[in-house]
Amino acid sequence: MALLRQYWKHAQWNYLRKFSASQIPEMPACNHEPCPYKGESYDTVKATTTLHTAPCQVPFYKKPLLIHEGFGQWLWDHEGKRYLDMFAGVATVSVGHSHPKIISAVLQQMNRLGHTTPIYMQPRLQEYVKKLVSKMPGDLSVVYLVNSGSEATELAFLMARLYTGAHEIVSLKNCYHGGSHTAAASTALSTWRYPVNSPSGHIHVTNPDVYHGPWGGSRCRDSPIAPGNRKCQCTGGTCFASDKYFEQIKDVFKFSLPNNGRVAAFIAESIQGVGGTIQFPRSYLSRVYEFIRYYGGVCIADEVQTGFGRTGEYYWGFQGHGVEPDIVTMGKGIGNGFPMGAVVTRPAIANTLKQALHFNTFGGNPIACSVGSAVLDIIEEEQLQENAFHVGTHLLERLGALQLYHPTVIGDVRGKGLMIGVELVCNPETREPLPPSQMIELFEEIKDMGVLVGKGGLHANVLRIKPPLCVTKADADFTVEVINKAIQNLKHRYSYNEESVYCNGV
């Protein structure tokens, strides 16, 4: 039996390391036939976009894609070319493009009632909040519906400050919590910050990054893949990295806060998304939560990208850290692309908003509630959380095997479920990021072979893989094949080899 298990493990590892010899990998089949594109010409759409949309919203790619149709995990451009969507509109399309059940829910509700506000009761709101609360642990039982993750962050901060009577919001460096004024103040990525005065009351503490930070190793994070070539300094049942990063936040309280040390809130993503799919050391969040509460603050879990089953093993990312937050913010996947967000909290915290009038015109819109309700049903009926776990683990293991083939380019593979990051470097020892010119070339080539991924991290050198939860193992294999070919071509162009590294091309 032991010999059989060893044989099976060896065969499985050989499969994970197996890559196609073909020049361009074969895309998995799709039985959906898109409609022909009959809109304005590509040049007209591009010119209108350039002239009349905000110039800060720069499209991906040298020749931006004109996306015409979507179905499941697939997208088609105006010329009918098919793409595997492994970014899902920035981790937003949770159950698949144009899902029939969502289309049906929207049409039925639009035929009955398109809009009313919370000044009236309506059944779709009641149905939806009951379903959403049933997914929450403990006393997280009050829902305030908004229109985006940024709005949810703003509202969560307001609630925290009213409830605690304190002002300071503590967040991690490298985090992203939204683009609105106050949400952006908590964000700690220089690439997302404008040279204007930010609202007061925001403190950024050391990010517990076990790959880039001073502490961390192979057993420090909850991922099937170890962080690069870093050795773990953990001993016994304690995490050395968690201890050291926790000391950093204690140090901030000691020197940067008033004598009473009171704060309003601590906010953290369960896995940092925009920051490059950064995972924290085991036990870190649970220790920080306890510490924050000792100083009178509440704990906010940002589930905008990690919620609704994306991490696979748990419905909410915070459950993987063994914590129960006081406030949870949601967005993106909550509506499968429909503009929705939510704040879920305890009754005592929610009651603080009664001190004045607070109103959201579109929050709880009956169409939005119908969409949100359909999303919850689909995740359960189609077992998409389980699929995220199985396909995500398979994809992570295959990417980990790919790292062994390209150790001078792939510095780290990390993530949980279908929340995955692949960090590209030009020196695995110093972890220096792949130069922007090379990153752009590789990014373009992945697209040209039919896969759409995102970019993240401070230097935009992390491939962000966050597809709809309906993707298959065949889709995962195709994605790995495409990334492999793109890296092979990059190494050939820049004479990379496994004995030397080249950080040129900046």
Side-chain angles (χ1 to χ4, degrees):
M1 182 63 76
L3 188 62
L4 183 62
R5 282 198 299 267
Q6 186 177 2
Y7 172 80
W8 168 246
K9 187 174 181 180
H10 181 72
Q12 185 181 36
W13 182 240
N14 281 341
Y15 168 70
L16 291 171
R17 296 180 64 177
K18 183 179 178 182
F19 299 103
S20 170
S22 63
Q23 189 61 34
I24 299 178
E26 183 177 352
M27 183 177 285
C30 172
N31 58 10
H32 179 78
E33 188 66 34
C35 299
Y37 177 71
K38 297 180 180 179
E40 297 278 8
S41 71
Y42 179 91
D43 289 339
T44 299
V45 173
K46 185 177 180 182
T48 303
T49 302
T50 302
L51 286 171
H52 300 300
T53 63
C56 62
Q57 297 181 1
V58 181
F60 276 170
Y61 308 116
K62 294 176 182 177
K63 182 182 179 182
L65 292 177
L66 175 52
I67 298 299
H68 157 55
E69 190 168 330
F71 184 81
Q73 62 269 49
W74 303 102
L75 292 171
W76 286 263
D77 70 11
H78 67 294
E79 295 176 331
K81 181 176 179 179
R82 178 162 59 105
Y83 298 89
L84 176 60
D85 183 9
M86 295 298 285
F87 198 34
V90 194
T92 299
V93 180
S94 48
V95 301
H97 296 279
S98 303
H99 196 288
K101 185 161 186 170
I102 293 178
I103 294 171
S104 176
V106 170
L107 291 176
Q108 287 183 33
Q109 187 56 47
M110 288 187 73
N111 282 326
R112 190 176 299 125
L113 177 67
H115 176 71
T116 186
T117 68
I119 61 173
Y120 306 115
M121 292 192 296
Q122 47 100 359
R124 298 293 84 79
L125 176 62
Q126 175 262 338
E127 291 168 6
Y128 179 57
V129 296
K130 281 181 66 176
K131 280 186 183 180
L132 185 58
V133 164
S134 73
K135 301 292 185 182
M136 307 305 299
D139 198 24
L140 293 167
S141 59
V142 181
V143 180
Y144 195 124
L145 294 174
V146 292
N147 306 293
S148 71
S150 294
E151 244 186 83
T153 298
E154 296 267 345
L155 182 58
F157 289 169
L158 176 60
M159 286 181 174
R161 284 168 168 156
L162 288 171
Y163 180 72
T164 63
H167 189 62
E168 305 293 344
I169 305 289
V170 180
S171 60
L172 300 171
K173 294 177 181 178
N174 198 61
C175 71
Y176 179 87
H177 295 294
S180 54
H181 196 47
T182 304
S186 67
T187 293
L189 278 163
S190 59
T191 47
W192 292 87
R193 294 181 68 88
Y194 287 99
V196 297
N197 290 334
S198 295
S200 64
H202 292 269
I203 296 173
H204 303 129
V205 299
T206 301
N207 190 40
D209 183 346
V210 300
Y211 177 66
H212 277 290
W215 308 288
S218 58
R219 299 193 302 273
C220 289
R221 68 189 182 196
D222 183 20
S223 175
I225 308 299
N229 57 2
R230 302 195 73 178
K231 293 183 179 179
C232 191
Q233 297 171 282
C234 301
T235 56
T238 62
C239 177
F240 178 80
S242 179
D243 289 344
K244 299 300 287 186
Y245 289 117
F246 182 60
E247 288 296 324
Q248 294 291 301
I249 196 169
K250 288 170 65 178
D251 200 56
V252 169
F253 272 62
K254 188 184 298 181
F255 294 105
S256 300
L257 288 171
N259 286 333
N260 63 15
R262 296 191 66 226
V263 295
F266 168 77
I267 184 170
E269 303 159 88
S270 300
I271 300 175
Q272 289 180 338
V274 175
T277 319
I278 303 299
Q279 293 180 277
F280 312 137
R282 300 174 194 272
S283 78
Y284 173 79
L285 275 189
S286 62
R287 297 176 72 179
V288 173
Y289 270 37
E290 184 179 359
F291 184 72
I292 293 295
R293 286 169 175 153
Y294 177 80
Y295 283 98
V298 298
C299 299
I300 304 171
D302 182 336
E303 291 290 318
V304 170
Q305 293 195 36
T306 52
F308 300 93
R310 176 160 294 280
T311 60
E313 191 172 353
Y314 301 100
Y315 203 86
W316 306 109
F318 63 77
Q319 292 172 309
H321 295 277
V323 298
E324 186 176 308
D326 304 294
I327 303 174
V328 182
T329 59
M330 306 170 189
K332 294 190 181 293
I334 190 174
N336 200 54
F338 195 91
M340 289 181 65
V343 177
V344 182
T345 188
R346 309 182 193 284
I349 298 174
N351 281 338
T352 61
L353 288 178
K354 294 166 65 176
Q355 296 177 37
L357 294 176
H358 198 283
F359 184 74
N360 191 300
T361 301
F362 296 104
N365 171 281
I367 298 173
C369 290
S370 297
V371 170
S373 184
V375 167
L376 295 177
D377 290 344
I378 294 163
I379 292 172
E380 185 172 342
E381 292 165 3
E382 300 184 8
Q383 298 182 312
L384 295 185
Q385 180 185 340
E386 293 83 351
N387 190 65
F389 175 76
H390 293 298
V391 175
T393 301
H394 173 78
L395 179 52
L396 278 161
E397 289 175 343
R398 289 223 62 197
L399 288 167
L402 185 63
Q403 184 180 9
L404 297 179
Y405 273 77
H406 304 295
T408 55
V409 178
I410 300 179
D412 194 28
V413 173
R414 51 187 178 252
K416 185 85 173 171
L418 289 171
M419 183 88 177
I420 298 172
V422 179
E423 181 146 355
L424 303 178
V425 299
C426 60
N427 187 322
E429 298 302 320
T430 64
R431 299 182 284 281
E432 188 174 346
L434 196 70
S437 60
Q438 296 180 30
M439 187 69 195
I440 290 170
E441 288 180 29
L442 185 132
F443 196 64
E444 292 278 343
E445 196 157 4
I446 292 172
K447 177 261 296 179
D448 291 342
M449 285 189 278
V451 176
L452 305 181
V453 295
K455 290 186 292 183
L458 184 63
H459 303 286
N461 67 312
V462 180
L463 297 179
R464 295 175 64 196
I465 302 174
K466 298 165 176 61
L469 306 186
C470 57
V471 291
T472 67
K473 287 186 178 180
D475 300 330
D477 289 339
F478 176 64
T479 300
V480 175
E481 293 278 3
V482 165
I483 294 172
N484 177 47
K485 293 298 180 187
I487 292 176
Q488 285 180 342
N489 294 341
L490 182 82
K491 289 167 70 174
H492 177 74
R493 284 195 298 272
Y494 289 92
S495 301
Y496 277 83
N497 58 59
E498 306 315 329
E499 287 76 39
S500 57
V501 293
Y502 296 88
C503 289
N504 57 6
V506 178

